[in-house]
Amino acid sequence: GQQPLGGRGAPPPRGGSRIEPTRGGFAFARLGDRCLDAAMAHLVQERPGIETQADIDSFVSGLATQRLPLDLPQWRMYITGTMADGRTLLLFQVNHAVADGDALVEVLMSMLDTEDGAPIRMPRRRGERRSVPLWQSICGMLRACWGPIVADQLPGDPQNRLKVPDPHHPGLAKSFHTSAPIPLEEVQEVRNAIPGATVNDVLMTVAALALREYFLRHEPATLRQKVRAGFPVNIRETDGRDILTPAHFGNRFSQAQLRLPLHLEDPLRVMADVKRQADLMKASPEPGFRDFLLRLVITKSGLSYANIAHAVLSAYGKVTMLLSNVPGPLDPVRFMGQELDDLSFYLVAPIGLYFGIVQYRGFIRAGICVDATCEPEPARLGECWAPAFQRLREASARGSAQPISPARL
């Protein structure tokens, strides 16, 4: 029913709040219980007629063009009838103004059934900070200054098939696709075959290889030019359920960038390049410094919020794609007594391509969202995903990579 389902979405911070405009910005205002109960017919809706993955993709594409009214909480739940394969779909739509991906993962975890308060097993998010070589620390400091102060002022990626020409005027339609699953055990095999690698390194490499294959098929000239991916960096000092407290909830992330080595053909050389950039970012205070500069501009520059938002969006749209890794439960979980068979995750943003990598119950998939004016058939990207991983897996078994220099910041 609507009330039990709605009760799962409303309790976390901001779940029962509407957005109210303030002087120069906005604030969340909690709805009263009576108003919230009356709103459940809008917040929780049944959507019959969705029977296939194509129907799901089409429905989500339609949601991407609709704005949620500000006088109601900024989330919706949609539930289908029985689909063609016998399953039922529950779709949870949330405005990014409510919170970032790390916080929303914890919201999802708080909505799931638990047995006797036992914690849900999740992939390890953080390990102990490893010491880094002096040269890497110096390069990290240089990058922290170069990125926000210099690089962000330079021209963006040259135009390519997947890049939105103007992030202020993106296409109105979005297209969605979910890739074939990759077993987590096989991803860990690749990680273990490469000294110092992480699962995240492997997944970012697979995304780079999939994009290389896509451009090789549809726009080979792009392999010779700059193509970058932006990705969010959590800048909280805490994790887990503490994120749901008012002090840590919301959008507490910064941005980093990865230059995709599309010019490299050997999968392990691609992996080495991606890992070098990832290691340098881990040694750099760039995300925190970037967040500090943004807050300084907001509080001290005297510029209007509209002008600041315009400048941020212009910088945001200089990259070709966004990339994120959403770690889900390692074991099957249940929601209102029903076991969840699959999880998918999408982000709708004013950018050409989003790759949302999702881990759940031992498998990894990519939720792909593209601007339909750039690429109306996202399956063309999805079909490159599993073959890209197989190329990397076979190369890691052979150990065929040649060393590459740790040049270019």
Side-chain angles (χ1 to χ4, degrees):
Q2 291 174 336
Q3 294 294 340
L5 275 174
R8 298 286 180 118
R14 303 180 178 176
S17 300
R18 66 177 185 269
I19 291 180
E20 290 187 344
T22 62
R23 186 175 180 181
F26 67 89
F28 285 90
R30 177 79 183 180
L31 291 176
D33 290 343
R34 186 172 297 178
C35 291
L36 193 58
D37 289 344
M40 283 301 162
H42 299 283
L43 300 178
V44 182
Q45 302 178 28
E46 293 186 15
R47 288 299 172 108
I50 298 177
E51 299 183 351
T52 66
Q53 183 63 50
D55 293 336
I56 296 172
D57 295 342
S58 177
F59 177 62
V60 175
S61 297
L63 292 179
T65 65
Q66 303 171 15
R67 294 198 174 195
L68 298 177
L70 300 184
D71 59 346
L72 291 175
Q74 295 298 290
W75 59 268
R76 298 291 184 274
M77 282 186 181
Y78 303 96
I79 186 167
T80 70
T82 303
M83 298 196 301
D85 60 6
R87 298 184 299 172
T88 298
L89 170 72
L90 177 64
L91 179 67
F92 193 29
Q93 177 190 17
V94 187
N95 188 333
H96 210 311
V98 172
D100 57 32
D102 283 270
L104 292 179
V105 166
E106 293 304 325
V107 170
L108 174 62
M109 295 303 101
S110 72
M111 294 165 62
L112 298 175
D113 301 342
T114 57
E115 296 183 6
D116 302 322
I120 296 172
R121 282 205 318 136
M122 298 285 288
R124 187 174 61 182
R125 300 296 298 272
R126 298 178 182 176
E128 297 181 0
R129 292 185 63 88
R130 294 178 297 176
S131 60
V132 298
L134 178 61
W135 71 265
Q136 199 171 67
S137 296
I138 295 173
C139 288
M141 291 299 297
L142 291 174
R143 175 168 182 149
C145 298
W146 172 265
I149 297 175
V150 180
D152 284 0
Q153 318 313 317
L154 299 177
D157 293 357
Q159 190 58 45
N160 62 63
R161 182 184 174 96
L162 295 177
K163 187 175 186 294
V164 170
D166 181 1
H168 299 279
H169 301 92
L172 297 179
K174 295 286 186 179
S175 298
F176 297 84
H177 179 76
T178 301
S179 74
I182 296 174
L184 178 59
E185 287 184 357
E186 295 182 3
V187 174
Q188 292 170 336
E189 287 176 10
V190 176
R191 176 201 62 188
N192 295 337
I194 300 172
T198 66
V199 167
N200 202 51
D201 294 335
V202 176
L203 297 177
M204 288 195 297
T205 300
V206 174
L209 289 169
L211 207 62
R212 184 185 194 281
E213 180 63 26
Y214 171 85
F215 282 122
L216 188 63
R217 297 180 185 182
H218 302 288
E219 195 178 58
T222 300
L223 301 180
R224 300 189 297 273
Q225 66 187 40
K226 179 172 68 175
V227 176
R228 292 173 299 170
F231 59 93
V233 178
N234 180 21
I235 56 175
R236 295 178 178 85
E237 295 297 326
T238 187
D239 57 11
R241 295 300 294 271
D242 289 342
I243 292 178
L244 295 180
T245 61
H248 300 291
F249 197 72
N251 285 282
R252 294 293 297 133
F253 71 98
S254 184
Q255 286 284 331
Q257 293 178 2
L258 175 73
R259 183 163 178 165
L260 302 173
L262 303 184
H263 61 290
L264 298 176
E265 184 175 358
D266 184 340
L268 288 191
R269 286 177 63 82
V270 175
M271 176 87 176
D273 189 285
V274 168
K275 183 180 182 303
R276 174 188 57 75
Q277 293 184 66
D279 288 346
L280 185 58
M281 181 57 65
K282 294 172 188 175
S284 173
E286 178 184 346
F289 185 50
R290 189 186 300 275
D291 180 68
F292 167 78
L293 289 178
L294 178 59
R295 292 180 179 275
L296 189 66
V297 170
I298 292 173
T299 57
K300 303 295 184 182
S301 69
L303 296 173
S304 69
Y305 283 103
N307 287 336
I308 294 172
H310 188 278
V312 169
L313 184 56
S314 296
Y316 181 83
K318 288 184 177 182
V319 300
T320 295
M321 68 176 291
L322 293 178
L323 179 65
S324 69
N325 179 13
V326 181
L330 294 171
D331 306 311
V333 293
R334 305 181 75 84
F335 179 81
M336 298 187 69
Q338 300 295 315
E339 184 173 303
L340 295 186
D341 178 68
D342 191 13
L343 282 177
S344 296
F345 185 92
Y346 302 103
L347 172 69
V348 177
I351 203 161
L353 170 63
Y354 169 71
F355 253 66
I357 301 171
V358 183
Q359 303 177 44
Y360 176 55
R361 60 183 300 180
F363 291 92
I364 297 176
R365 291 175 172 83
I368 301 167
C369 173
V370 294
D371 191 305
T373 60
C374 298
E375 172 54 83
E377 297 293 338
R380 292 173 179 167
L381 283 151
E383 65 190 15
C384 298
W385 171 255
F389 173 70
Q390 289 305 320
R391 285 188 61 216
L392 178 61
R393 187 185 184 203
E394 292 167 4
S396 68
R398 295 193 305 266
S400 61
Q402 301 297 318
I404 62 175
S405 62
R408 199 174 76 236
L409 284 179

